[in-house]
Amino acid sequence: MKLQKIAEQAKRYPAMVFNNVFHLIDCEFLREAYRQTCKSSAPGVDKVTAAQYAANLDENLRDLHERLRANRYVAPPVERVWIEKEDGKKRPIGKPCFEDKIVQRAVVMILEAIFEQDFYGFSHGFRKGHSQHQALHELREQCRTLNITWIVDADVSGFFDNLDWGHLREFIQQRVSDGGILRLLGKWLHAGVLESGALTYPDKGAPQGGVISPMVSNVFLHRVLDAWFVKDVHPRMQGRCFVTRFADDFIIGFELEADARRVMEVLPRRFARFRLTIHPEKTVLTAFKRPPSRNQSAGGKGTFDFLGFTHYWAKTRRGYWVIKRKTVGKRLRRFMKGIWTWCRENRHAPLQEQYQTLSLKLRGYYQYYGIRGNFKMLEVVFEQTERAWQYWLSRRSHKGHITWQKFVDAVHRKLPLPKPRIIHHI
């Protein structure tokens, strides 16, 4: 109820600065933050799991509240691990402590109530009521209805690692100047990173894996990109244009080539002003033109990738040109490679366990990539999963090779893997 009143005030008074919201974080507020905190993640540097914390929840929350009220709360460092990307490189993943995630969630709840009133509808990353599939739908509809012929596919180099603290604090204070909230944010930024036993203190970047990171990234990019585009860029364009953003991944579409080139030129300078770099090689301008008619060949054969899908022009069965989406090639290869590796490493596990895990993997894949027009890619994944399973089951022992027919008779009919299906009709 208190958050709802704050949200109403923030919406009614866009220039209002909130300087007295930290007091909202009491024991009941922390309990709600605990309820909203993911409890399946790995523990942080203190090795305390969610289950261990919940065993004495009331006392832990009271103690946490007392430390916050007395300004004795100490933000622990974030443990950093690295996972491989599809291009062979690695990216860092942070493992915050569970209690720290509760505090971060409490602060996010307050910041959301205020900043959600400022955010634009085309910002879809990590917001309630928004999703990747909404962003994909919006992107396609904007391209179709605005006669978009040019696409700026931008890439911000290491956004979360290079986010500038000074500008972030400035952007937060434009709406929230409460000392308690700002002190907590400062503690998280300066908490340090623990990697291979060594503790380091970066001077920029958002807390790795932190609950607070998506929120502050949206605040940052709202000021750097979204508001700038709406207030400064859009009014100066000769033709129609739009922007769609999910976290630091965004697409800008233009009706006219001259407009696209103007923005393409100024975009690096805009981000450099806030100490961010637009990657010069990964940021590209693509001709994405609607083919002239049903009988002529495509005028602009360019494609672009966004949120795991390649967007391209293709003909329908009736001969009309439409924008279609299919799984990005490297994403498809990465998933199939992962299935192959999993089947190899788990071929000696009980058959029922293998079946359940593979079914979960396939359903998860269909849940995201199962959009209209992408059925063929789903079929490829399904067929390759069956082949990988059969191949490694046939190598469980030296007694004999399991042929495909034996696999069908002994396994496939009794334990059928979930077949491809379209989940999202967007």
Side-chain angles (χ1 to χ4, degrees):
M1 191 65 179
K2 293 178 181 178
L3 288 180
Q4 186 177 350
K5 289 182 178 179
I6 289 176
E8 290 173 356
Q9 284 183 309
K11 187 175 183 178
R12 189 178 299 119
Y13 307 106
M16 183 176 180
V17 179
F18 293 81
N19 54 21
N20 189 24
V21 290
F22 183 70
H23 71 279
L24 295 175
I25 305 180
D26 55 19
C27 285
E28 286 304 311
F29 200 88
L30 289 171
R31 183 178 294 276
E32 176 60 22
Y34 163 81
R35 190 187 69 80
Q36 294 187 23
T37 301
C38 176
K39 300 171 181 64
S40 59
S41 303
V45 294
D46 61 358
K47 304 304 178 185
V48 176
T49 64
Q52 291 171 332
Y53 197 86
N56 203 7
L57 183 61
D58 291 339
E59 183 177 334
N60 285 334
L61 292 180
R62 280 196 299 269
D63 177 63
L64 175 59
H65 175 243
E66 183 60 33
R67 281 180 282 139
L68 287 170
R69 190 176 64 175
N71 196 26
R72 291 187 290 106
Y73 180 76
V74 178
V78 175
E79 184 178 358
R80 176 185 287 172
V81 295
W82 295 81
I83 62 172
E84 287 191 6
K85 297 169 64 175
E86 62 270 12
D87 56 4
K89 298 180 181 179
K90 293 185 177 182
R91 66 184 180 96
I93 292 293
K95 296 194 296 181
C97 296
F98 182 74
E99 184 178 71
D100 200 46
K101 288 195 286 187
I102 296 175
V103 183
Q104 291 189 28
R105 175 57 62 190
V107 172
V108 166
M109 289 162 60
I110 294 174
L111 294 181
E112 275 182 346
I114 298 169
F115 282 100
E116 275 292 325
Q117 316 314 315
D118 299 341
F119 293 160
Y120 294 102
F122 57 76
S123 169
H124 298 282
F126 311 112
R127 296 176 61 194
K128 293 178 181 177
H130 292 259
S131 68
Q132 291 102 319
H133 295 99
Q134 278 186 314
L136 290 165
H137 175 68
E138 177 185 277
L139 173 62
R140 185 175 184 271
E141 288 304 298
Q142 294 281 50
C143 286
R144 184 178 64 85
T145 59
L146 300 182
N147 191 32
I148 297 301
T149 58
W150 293 88
I151 293 290
V152 172
D153 183 2
D155 182 88
V156 185
S157 299
F159 171 74
F160 285 94
D161 292 331
N162 294 292
L163 189 146
D164 182 72
W165 293 351
H167 285 109
L168 173 62
R169 190 179 184 89
E170 176 191 336
F171 296 154
I172 295 288
Q173 286 181 297
Q174 289 177 5
R175 284 295 247 163
V176 179
S177 65
D178 188 294
I181 299 293
L182 296 176
R183 277 194 300 272
L184 279 176
L185 181 60
K187 288 180 179 182
W188 289 320
L189 294 177
H190 292 88
V193 175
L194 184 67
E195 183 178 351
S196 303
L199 184 60
T200 58
Y201 295 93
D203 58 0
K204 59 183 177 179
Q208 292 287 347
V211 177
I212 195 74
S213 297
M215 184 68 219
V216 298
S217 70
N218 274 335
V219 171
F220 200 95
L221 286 173
H222 170 77
R223 300 294 180 185
V224 174
L225 176 67
D226 302 353
W228 170 70
F229 183 85
V230 170
K231 297 175 182 178
D232 296 332
V233 175
H234 192 273
R236 290 177 168 85
M237 297 294 100
Q238 298 299 311
R240 291 175 289 183
C241 60
F242 77 93
V243 61
T244 296
R245 182 172 68 81
F246 191 93
D248 62 327
D249 195 358
F250 62 93
I251 294 290
I252 310 178
F254 300 90
E255 185 178 17
L256 303 179
E257 180 181 359
D259 288 343
R261 294 197 179 279
R262 284 178 64 192
V263 174
M264 186 76 170
E265 181 181 351
V266 76
L267 196 63
R269 296 201 298 269
R270 172 66 182 179
F271 275 74
R273 178 180 169 187
F274 301 96
R275 300 185 181 180
L276 290 173
T277 303
I278 295 293
H279 199 293
E281 296 176 0
K282 294 183 180 180
T283 300
V284 295
L285 177 61
T286 302
F288 193 69
K289 301 179 182 179
R290 179 196 299 269
S293 71
R294 293 177 55 182
N295 299 320
Q296 291 176 284
S297 60
K301 296 186 178 181
T303 66
F304 65 93
D305 297 340
F306 184 61
L307 298 180
F309 290 92
T310 296
H311 298 68
Y312 63 102
W313 284 99
K315 279 188 177 181
T316 64
R317 292 180 179 177
R318 295 184 177 182
Y320 294 101
W321 288 100
V322 296
I323 298 172
K324 291 190 176 183
R325 287 78 52 91
K326 63 180 179 181
T327 309
V328 171
K330 61 183 180 182
R331 296 280 187 99
L332 182 69
R333 292 188 294 272
R334 180 177 64 182
F335 183 82
M336 292 192 297
K337 181 182 178 181
I339 288 289
W340 182 268
T341 302
W342 188 91
C343 289
R344 181 188 65 204
E345 294 176 349
N346 294 273
R347 63 185 183 274
H348 296 297
L351 197 61
Q352 187 68 31
E353 290 183 14
Q354 292 189 48
Y355 167 71
Q356 290 175 351
T357 300
L358 288 173
S359 296
L360 284 174
K361 288 179 180 292
L362 284 176
R363 288 194 187 100
Y365 190 89
Y366 301 157
Q367 187 64 40
Y368 186 78
Y369 289 102
I371 71 172
R372 190 169 59 186
N374 197 39
F375 191 77
K376 287 184 179 180
M377 296 296 101
L378 303 186
E379 285 186 316
V380 168
V381 165
F382 173 76
E383 292 168 1
Q384 289 299 317
T385 300
E386 282 200 322
R387 289 291 180 184
W389 198 21
Q390 179 264 332
Y391 179 88
W392 288 109
L393 282 180
S394 70
R395 280 150 180 80
R396 293 178 74 169
S397 69
H398 61 279
K399 294 183 178 179
H401 180 74
I402 298 179
T403 64
W404 178 251
Q405 190 57 48
K406 287 183 179 180
F407 172 76
V408 170
D409 295 337
V411 180
H412 179 74
R413 290 174 181 170
K414 297 178 181 178
L415 301 172
L417 291 173
K419 291 188 176 181
R421 67 191 189 99
I422 299 302
I423 307 293
H424 309 280
H425 294 275
I426 59 173

